[in-house]
Amino acid sequence: MKELIKKLTDITSPSGNEDLIREAIREEIKEYCDDLKIDRLGNLIAFKHGGGAKIQFAAHMDEIGVIVTYIDDQGFLRFSNVGGLSPFQLLGQRVRFTDGTLGVFGLEKLEQMKDWTLNKMYIDIGATSKEEAEEKVAVGEFGGIIQDFADLGRRVAAKSMDNRVGCAVLIEALKRVQSPRNDLYCTFTVQEEVGLRGAKTSAFAIEPDLGIAVDVTLTGDTPEAEKMAVGLGKGVAIKVKDQSLIAHRRVKELLVRLAKEKKIPYQLEVLTRGGTDSGAIHLTRAGVPSGVISIPTRYVHSPSELIDLEDVEAAVQLVVAVMETPCDPENL
Ligand code: CO
Ligand code: ZN
């Protein structure tokens, strides 16, 4: 798993630019599903037959990033955020544009710290003029923050752990599932970070009986952290509520029951900010009972998002348990 997570987090694929990550995931799973397709928005959907209910699992494969808005006469780039990006995370960091061009972040002289916003920042790609900069990047170019994968032993840190770790969980579950008892639609969605967009269209097409997103969640276990019951290394998190979704009671109960039966360590999650793909899936057509399997993650939306591999293992086991448990579509 460590190798797979490293491989996926090393790839730069901000929202709307998922080609590289989609290709890497396709290579990983092509031997492990009955059908594989890419829909019009770019979602990758792996189907595996098992009867029972139609279950859509969704892991978003995009990551937060930046987009070039303006190039000045000296060749400095102004930029905007793609997804939730704090200016405080950027100073001292580097960006890689989708064509491979590298740059570093800079900050204007500020009178006060509270003036520190994204539009006081710029990207330096080493150009000495507007013309030289324009040979490398254009307005509208997308980039992602880059940072080396850090192997801390049982725990690992990387950029875009949100949500490459969720993708890794779904990939591993597809590889591990022996006897699926439901029709599985494992969806690697696009553009989650800008508004759950790929989840919305894929769920409309799939018309699932049940929706389960696999994504990261925050923790409350660091010094002076905001109070939150979820902690690293305490198991997979089963979502009760976030800003996009109240997990369907039966789905939440199914996940809790399976975790107990299979002795998978789990914790209940209430996330007071943020949302994920199930927020879009559960509102599709006449409604889809939905829940979320979450991987506790520290420093979400920073260049070093940190997870515990035992939580990842628990998440894989819970996804496989759902895949192998016959669900009655009439009784969800
Ligand atoms: Co995110
Ligand atoms: Zn996410």
Side-chain angles (χ1 to χ4, degrees):
M1 276 309 266
K2 208 180 255 186
E3 276 309 302
L4 179 59
I5 294 168
K6 178 180 186 317
K7 182 177 167 187
L8 298 180
T9 54
D10 277 346
I11 294 169
T12 295
S13 272
S15 308
N17 296 264
E18 293 90 353
D19 305 49
L20 291 176
I21 185 68
R22 181 173 51 239
E23 187 49 31
I25 295 172
R26 200 183 67 80
E27 274 300 313
E28 286 290 330
I29 61 175
K30 63 181 185 200
E31 312 291 326
Y32 300 93
C33 49
D34 300 323
D35 185 43
L36 198 54
K37 71 170 191 210
I38 297 166
D39 74 8
R40 288 180 188 166
L41 278 201
N43 298 298
L44 177 67
I45 304 168
F47 173 73
K48 204 172 171 89
H49 176 72
K54 279 168 86 169
I55 305 185
Q56 180 177 13
F57 290 94
H60 72 85
M61 58 183 171
D62 62 318
E63 68 187 281
I64 56 171
V66 298
I67 183 168
V68 178
T69 55
Y70 181 83
I71 303 173
D72 74 16
D73 290 340
Q74 282 76 45
F76 294 107
L77 317 180
R78 295 296 177 151
F79 64 95
S80 180
N81 59 303
V82 177
L85 192 61
S86 162
F88 311 119
Q89 298 288 353
L90 297 181
L91 204 58
Q93 298 295 334
R94 295 175 185 180
V95 59
R96 179 163 59 212
F97 291 97
T98 50
D99 70 346
T101 300
L102 298 172
V104 302
F105 290 96
L107 177 64
E108 295 176 14
K109 178 179 176 295
L110 301 177
E111 292 304 325
Q112 305 172 76
M113 278 290 283
K114 70 173 176 57
D115 297 333
W116 188 351
T117 55
L118 285 184
N119 48 32
K120 299 288 184 194
M121 300 190 75
Y122 56 86
I123 295 168
D124 187 340
I125 55 168
T128 55
S129 67
K130 184 174 188 172
E131 291 67 34
E132 197 185 326
E134 282 174 339
E135 283 169 23
K136 293 185 176 178
V137 296
V139 166
E141 207 90 48
F142 288 78
I145 316 313
I146 50 173
Q147 180 62 269
D148 285 343
F149 179 87
D151 185 346
L152 311 175
R154 176 178 150 170
R155 296 178 172 182
V156 295
K159 67 103 184 139
S160 72
M161 204 63 90
D162 174 12
N163 182 32
R164 304 293 160 69
V165 68
C167 295
V169 165
L170 206 46
I171 290 167
E172 180 64 18
L174 259 173
K175 290 179 179 174
R176 237 188 255 185
V177 61
Q178 289 298 321
S179 41
R181 301 293 300 277
N182 299 288
D183 276 344
L184 312 176
Y185 294 80
C186 295
T187 314
F188 299 87
T189 61
V190 297
Q191 301 188 36
E192 189 269 356
E193 296 290 358
V194 290
L196 322 180
R197 296 175 188 170
K200 187 173 182 176
T201 58
S202 59
F204 186 90
I206 292 167
E207 271 191 87
D209 298 312
L210 198 103
I212 295 178
V214 184
D215 202 345
V216 303
T217 191
L218 307 180
T219 71
D221 62 348
T222 50
E224 309 297 326
E226 203 175 303
K227 292 275 178 270
M228 182 177 179
V230 175
L232 221 61
K234 287 162 58 185
V236 59
I238 297 172
K239 193 183 297 284
V240 180
K241 180 188 179 296
D242 64 22
Q243 277 182 314
S244 69
L245 167 86
I246 294 171
H248 193 281
R249 192 170 49 80
R250 299 261 252 301
V251 179
K252 183 193 74 187
E253 285 169 1
L254 169 74
L255 297 176
V256 168
R257 178 171 65 79
L258 289 175
K260 282 180 177 160
E261 275 175 22
K262 312 272 180 193
K263 299 194 165 41
I264 301 166
Y266 77 95
Q267 37 192 334
L268 292 176
E269 169 209 344
V270 179
L271 183 66
T272 54
R273 52 207 156 97
T276 184
D277 278 345
S278 281
I281 295 170
H282 85 294
L283 297 178
T284 299
R285 293 181 184 259
V288 180
S290 299
V292 183
I293 292 174
S294 303
I295 298 103
T297 305
R298 290 180 183 164
Y299 324 123
V300 171
H301 286 201
S302 85
S304 292
E305 302 174 317
L306 197 153
I307 55 148
D308 187 306
L309 294 168
E310 307 235 336
D311 297 335
V312 176
E313 173 59 25
V316 173
Q317 288 179 16
L318 189 54
V319 171
V320 172
V322 175
M323 290 173 163
E324 295 186 338
T325 300
C327 296
D328 177 4
E330 297 305 313
N331 192 22
L332 287 168

Coordinates of all heavy atoms in Angstrom, one line a residue, residues 72-125:
D72 N 2.7 39.3 -15.4 CA 3.1 40.7 -15.5 C 4.4 41.0 -16.4 O 4.9 40.0 -16.9 CB 3.3 41.3 -14.1 CG 4.5 40.8 -13.4 OD1 5.5 40.3 -14.0 OD2 4.6 41.0 -12.1
D73 N 4.8 42.2 -16.5 CA 5.9 42.6 -17.4 C 7.2 41.9 -17.0 O 8.1 41.7 -17.9 CB 6.0 44.1 -17.5 CG 4.9 44.7 -18.3 OD1 4.2 44.0 -19.0 OD2 4.6 45.9 -18.1
Q74 N 7.4 41.6 -15.7 CA 8.6 41.0 -15.3 C 8.6 39.5 -15.4 O 9.6 38.8 -15.1 CB 8.9 41.4 -13.8 CG 9.5 42.8 -13.6 CD 8.4 43.8 -13.7 OE1 7.3 43.7 -13.2 NE2 8.7 44.9 -14.5
G75 N 7.4 39.0 -15.8 CA 7.3 37.5 -15.9 C 6.8 36.8 -14.7 O 6.9 35.6 -14.6
F76 N 6.3 37.6 -13.7 CA 5.7 36.9 -12.5 C 4.3 36.5 -12.8 O 3.6 37.3 -13.5 CB 5.8 37.8 -11.3 CG 7.2 38.1 -10.8 CD1 7.8 39.4 -11.1 CD2 7.9 37.2 -10.2 CE1 9.1 39.7 -10.6 CE2 9.2 37.4 -9.7 CZ 9.8 38.7 -10.0
L77 N 3.8 35.4 -12.3 CA 2.5 34.9 -12.5 C 1.6 35.3 -11.3 O 2.0 35.0 -10.2 CB 2.4 33.4 -12.7 CG 3.5 32.8 -13.6 CD1 3.3 31.3 -13.7 CD2 3.5 33.4 -15.0
R78 N 0.4 35.8 -11.6 CA -0.6 35.9 -10.6 C -1.5 34.7 -10.7 O -1.7 34.1 -11.9 CB -1.4 37.2 -10.7 CG -0.5 38.4 -10.4 CD 0.0 38.4 -9.0 NE 0.9 39.6 -8.8 CZ 1.0 40.2 -7.6 NH1 0.3 39.7 -6.5 NH2 1.8 41.2 -7.4
F79 N -2.1 34.2 -9.6 CA -2.9 33.0 -9.7 C -4.1 33.0 -8.8 O -4.2 33.8 -7.9 CB -2.0 31.8 -9.3 CG -1.5 31.9 -7.9 CD1 -2.1 31.2 -6.9 CD2 -0.4 32.6 -7.6 CE1 -1.7 31.2 -5.6 CE2 0.1 32.7 -6.3 CZ -0.6 32.0 -5.3
S80 N -5.0 32.1 -9.0 CA -6.1 31.9 -8.2 C -6.1 30.4 -7.7 O -5.4 29.6 -8.2 CB -7.4 32.2 -9.0 OG -8.5 32.0 -8.2
N81 N -6.9 30.2 -6.7 CA -7.0 28.8 -6.2 C -7.9 27.9 -7.0 O -8.9 28.4 -7.6 CB -7.5 28.8 -4.7 CG -8.9 29.4 -4.6 OD1 -9.1 30.6 -5.0 ND2 -9.8 28.7 -4.1
V82 N -7.6 26.6 -7.0 CA -8.5 25.6 -7.6 C -8.8 24.7 -6.4 O -8.0 23.9 -6.0 CB -7.8 24.8 -8.7 CG1 -8.8 23.7 -9.2 CG2 -7.4 25.7 -9.9
G83 N -10.0 24.9 -5.8 CA -10.3 24.2 -4.6 C -9.8 25.0 -3.4 O -9.3 26.1 -3.5
G84 N -10.0 24.4 -2.2 CA -9.7 25.2 -0.9 C -8.2 25.2 -0.6 O -7.6 24.3 -0.2
L85 N -7.6 26.4 -0.9 CA -6.2 26.6 -0.8 C -5.9 27.8 0.1 O -6.3 28.9 -0.2 CB -5.6 26.8 -2.2 CG -4.1 26.7 -2.3 CD1 -3.5 25.3 -1.9 CD2 -3.7 27.0 -3.8
S86 N -5.2 27.5 1.2 CA -4.9 28.6 2.1 C -3.5 29.3 1.7 O -2.6 28.6 1.4 CB -4.7 28.1 3.6 OG -4.0 29.0 4.4
P87 N -3.5 30.6 1.7 CA -2.2 31.3 1.3 C -1.1 30.9 2.3 O 0.1 30.8 1.8 CB -2.5 32.8 1.4 CG -3.8 32.9 2.2 CD -4.5 31.6 2.0
F88 N -1.4 30.6 3.5 CA -0.4 30.3 4.5 C 0.3 29.0 4.3 O 1.4 28.7 4.8 CB -1.0 30.3 5.9 CG -1.8 31.6 6.2 CD1 -3.1 31.4 6.5 CD2 -1.2 32.8 6.1 CE1 -3.9 32.6 6.8 CE2 -2.0 34.0 6.4 CZ -3.3 33.8 6.7
Q89 N -0.3 28.2 3.5 CA 0.4 26.9 3.1 C 1.4 27.0 2.0 O 2.1 26.0 1.7 CB -0.7 25.8 2.7 CG -1.8 25.5 3.7 CD -1.2 24.7 4.9 OE1 -0.1 24.2 4.9 NE2 -2.0 24.5 5.9
L90 N 1.4 28.1 1.4 CA 2.1 28.2 0.1 C 3.6 28.7 0.1 O 4.4 28.3 -0.7 CB 1.3 29.0 -0.9 CG 0.0 28.5 -1.3 CD1 -0.7 29.4 -2.3 CD2 0.1 27.0 -1.8
L91 N 3.8 29.6 1.1 CA 5.2 30.2 1.1 C 6.3 29.2 1.3 O 6.2 28.4 2.2 CB 5.2 31.3 2.2 CG 6.3 32.4 1.9 CD1 6.1 33.1 0.6 CD2 6.3 33.4 3.1
G92 N 7.3 29.2 0.5 CA 8.3 28.3 0.6 C 8.0 27.0 -0.2 O 8.9 26.1 -0.3
Q93 N 6.8 26.9 -0.8 CA 6.5 25.7 -1.6 C 6.7 25.9 -3.0 O 7.0 27.0 -3.5 CB 5.0 25.4 -1.3 CG 4.6 25.1 0.1 CD 5.3 23.8 0.6 OE1 5.6 22.9 -0.2 NE2 5.5 23.7 1.9
R94 N 6.6 24.8 -3.8 CA 6.8 24.8 -5.2 C 5.6 24.3 -5.9 O 4.8 23.6 -5.4 CB 8.0 23.9 -5.6 CG 9.3 24.5 -5.1 CD 10.4 23.5 -5.3 NE 11.7 24.0 -4.7 CZ 12.8 23.5 -4.8 NH1 13.0 22.3 -5.4 NH2 13.9 24.0 -4.1
V95 N 5.4 24.8 -7.1 CA 4.3 24.4 -8.0 C 4.8 23.7 -9.2 O 5.9 24.0 -9.7 CB 3.4 25.6 -8.3 CG1 4.2 26.6 -9.1 CG2 2.2 25.2 -9.1
R96 N 4.0 22.7 -9.7 CA 4.3 22.1 -11.0 C 3.1 22.2 -11.8 O 2.0 21.8 -11.5 CB 4.7 20.6 -10.8 CG 5.0 19.9 -12.2 CD 5.7 18.6 -12.0 NE 4.9 17.6 -11.1 CZ 5.5 16.7 -10.3 NH1 6.8 16.6 -10.2 NH2 4.7 15.9 -9.6
F97 N 3.3 22.8 -13.0 CA 2.2 23.0 -13.9 C 2.0 21.7 -14.7 O 2.9 20.8 -14.7 CB 2.4 24.2 -14.9 CG 2.3 25.5 -14.1 CD1 3.5 26.1 -13.7 CD2 1.1 26.0 -13.9 CE1 3.3 27.3 -13.0 CE2 1.0 27.2 -13.1 CZ 2.1 27.8 -12.7
T98 N 0.8 21.5 -15.3 CA 0.5 20.2 -15.9 C 1.5 19.8 -17.0 O 1.6 18.7 -17.3 CB -1.0 20.1 -16.4 OG1 -1.2 21.3 -17.2 CG2 -1.9 20.1 -15.2
D99 N 2.1 20.8 -17.6 CA 3.1 20.5 -18.7 C 4.5 20.2 -18.1 O 5.5 20.0 -18.8 CB 3.2 21.6 -19.7 CG 3.8 22.9 -19.2 OD1 4.0 23.0 -17.9 OD2 4.2 23.8 -19.9
G100 N 4.6 20.3 -16.8 CA 5.9 20.0 -16.1 C 6.7 21.3 -15.7 O 7.7 21.2 -14.9
T101 N 6.3 22.5 -16.1 CA 7.0 23.7 -15.7 C 6.9 23.9 -14.2 O 5.9 23.7 -13.6 CB 6.3 24.9 -16.4 OG1 6.4 24.8 -17.8 CG2 7.0 26.2 -16.0
L102 N 8.1 24.2 -13.6 CA 8.2 24.4 -12.2 C 8.2 25.9 -11.8 O 8.6 26.7 -12.6 CB 9.4 23.7 -11.6 CG 9.6 22.2 -11.8 CD1 10.9 21.8 -11.4 CD2 8.5 21.5 -11.1
G103 N 7.7 26.2 -10.6 CA 7.8 27.5 -10.1 C 7.8 27.6 -8.6 O 7.5 26.5 -7.9
V104 N 8.1 28.7 -8.0 CA 8.1 28.9 -6.5 C 7.2 30.0 -6.2 O 7.0 30.9 -7.0 CB 9.5 29.1 -6.0 CG1 10.5 28.0 -6.3 CG2 10.1 30.4 -6.5
F105 N 6.6 30.0 -5.0 CA 5.7 31.0 -4.5 C 6.4 32.2 -3.9 O 7.4 32.0 -3.1 CB 4.7 30.4 -3.6 CG 3.7 29.5 -4.2 CD1 3.9 28.1 -4.2 CD2 2.6 30.0 -4.9 CE1 3.0 27.2 -4.8 CE2 1.7 29.1 -5.5 CZ 1.9 27.7 -5.4
G106 N 6.0 33.4 -4.1 CA 6.5 34.6 -3.5 C 5.4 35.4 -2.9 O 4.2 35.2 -3.3
L107 N 5.7 36.3 -2.0 CA 4.8 37.1 -1.3 C 5.2 38.6 -1.3 O 6.4 38.9 -1.1 CB 4.7 36.6 0.2 CG 3.7 37.4 1.1 CD1 2.3 37.3 0.7 CD2 3.9 36.8 2.5
E108 N 4.3 39.5 -1.6 CA 4.5 40.9 -1.6 C 4.9 41.4 -0.2 O 4.5 40.7 0.8 CB 3.3 41.7 -2.1 CG 2.9 41.5 -3.5 CD 1.6 42.3 -3.8 OE1 1.2 43.2 -3.0 OE2 0.9 42.0 -4.8
K109 N 5.5 42.5 -0.1 CA 5.7 43.1 1.2 C 4.4 43.5 1.8 O 3.6 44.2 1.1 CB 6.6 44.4 1.1 CG 6.9 45.1 2.4 CD 7.8 46.3 2.2 CE 8.0 47.0 3.5 NZ 6.7 47.7 3.9
L110 N 4.1 43.1 3.1 CA 2.8 43.4 3.7 C 3.0 44.3 4.9 O 4.0 44.2 5.6 CB 2.2 42.1 4.1 CG 1.9 41.0 3.1 CD1 1.3 39.7 3.8 CD2 1.0 41.5 2.0
E111 N 2.0 45.2 5.1 CA 2.0 46.0 6.3 C 1.6 45.2 7.5 O 2.1 45.3 8.6 CB 1.0 47.2 6.1 CG 1.4 48.2 5.1 CD 2.8 48.8 5.3 OE1 3.2 49.0 6.5 OE2 3.5 49.0 4.3
Q112 N 0.6 44.3 7.3 CA 0.1 43.5 8.4 C -0.2 42.1 7.9 O -0.5 41.9 6.7 CB -1.2 44.0 9.0 CG -1.2 45.5 9.4 CD -2.6 45.9 9.7 OE1 -3.2 45.6 10.7 NE2 -3.2 46.7 8.8
M113 N 0.0 41.1 8.8 CA -0.3 39.7 8.5 C -1.7 39.5 7.9 O -1.9 38.6 7.0 CB -0.1 38.8 9.7 CG 1.3 38.4 10.0 SD 2.0 37.3 8.8 CE 1.3 35.8 9.3
K114 N -2.6 40.2 8.4 CA -4.0 40.0 7.9 C -4.2 40.3 6.5 O -5.2 40.0 5.9 CB -5.0 40.7 8.8 CG -5.1 42.2 8.7 CD -6.3 42.7 9.5 CE -6.3 44.2 9.6 NZ -6.4 44.9 8.2
D115 N -3.2 41.0 5.9 CA -3.3 41.4 4.5 C -2.9 40.2 3.6 O -2.9 40.3 2.4 CB -2.4 42.6 4.1 CG -2.8 43.8 4.9 OD1 -4.1 43.9 5.2 OD2 -2.0 44.7 5.1
W116 N -2.4 39.1 4.2 CA -1.8 38.0 3.5 C -3.0 37.2 2.8 O -3.6 36.4 3.5 CB -1.0 37.1 4.4 CG -0.2 36.0 3.7 CD1 -0.3 35.6 2.4 CD2 0.8 35.2 4.3 NE1 0.5 34.6 2.1 CE2 1.2 34.3 3.3 CE3 1.3 35.1 5.6 CZ2 2.2 33.3 3.5 CZ3 2.3 34.1 5.8 CH2 2.7 33.2 4.8
T117 N -3.2 37.5 1.6 CA -4.2 36.7 0.8 C -3.6 36.2 -0.5 O -2.4 36.6 -0.8 CB -5.4 37.6 0.4 OG1 -4.9 38.7 -0.3 CG2 -6.2 38.1 1.7
L118 N -4.3 35.3 -1.2 CA -3.7 34.8 -2.4 C -3.3 35.8 -3.4 O -2.3 35.7 -4.1 CB -4.6 33.8 -3.0 CG -4.8 32.4 -2.4 CD1 -5.7 31.5 -3.2 CD2 -3.5 31.7 -2.2
N119 N -4.1 36.9 -3.4 CA -3.7 37.9 -4.5 C -2.6 38.9 -4.1 O -2.2 39.7 -4.8 CB -5.0 38.7 -5.0 CG -5.8 39.2 -3.9 OD1 -5.3 39.6 -2.8 ND2 -7.1 39.3 -4.1
K120 N -2.0 38.6 -2.9 CA -0.7 39.3 -2.6 C 0.5 38.4 -2.9 O 1.6 38.7 -2.6 CB -0.7 39.6 -1.1 CG -1.8 40.6 -0.6 CD -1.5 42.0 -1.1 CE -2.6 43.0 -0.6 NZ -2.5 44.3 -1.3
M121 N 0.1 37.2 -3.5 CA 1.2 36.3 -3.8 C 1.4 36.1 -5.3 O 0.5 36.6 -6.1 CB 0.9 34.9 -3.2 CG 0.7 34.9 -1.7 SD 0.6 33.3 -0.9 CE 2.3 32.7 -1.1
Y122 N 2.5 35.6 -5.7 CA 2.8 35.4 -7.1 C 3.6 34.1 -7.2 O 4.1 33.5 -6.3 CB 3.5 36.6 -7.7 CG 4.8 36.9 -6.9 CD1 6.0 36.3 -7.2 CD2 4.8 37.8 -5.8 CE1 7.1 36.6 -6.5 CE2 5.9 38.1 -5.1 CZ 7.1 37.5 -5.4 OH 8.2 37.7 -4.7
I123 N 3.8 33.7 -8.5 CA 4.6 32.5 -8.8 C 5.8 33.0 -9.6 O 5.6 33.7 -10.6 CB 3.8 31.4 -9.5 CG1 2.7 30.8 -8.6 CG2 4.7 30.3 -9.9 CD1 1.7 29.9 -9.3
D124 N 7.0 32.6 -9.3 CA 8.2 32.9 -10.0 C 8.6 31.6 -10.7 O 9.0 30.6 -10.1 CB 9.2 33.3 -8.9 CG 10.5 33.9 -9.6 OD1 10.8 33.6 -10.7 OD2 11.3 34.6 -8.8
I125 N 8.6 31.7 -12.0 CA 9.0 30.5 -12.8 C 10.4 30.7 -13.4 O 10.8 30.0 -14.3 CB 8.0 30.1 -13.9 CG1 7.8 31.3 -14.9 CG2 6.7 29.6 -13.3 CD1 7.0 30.9 -16.1

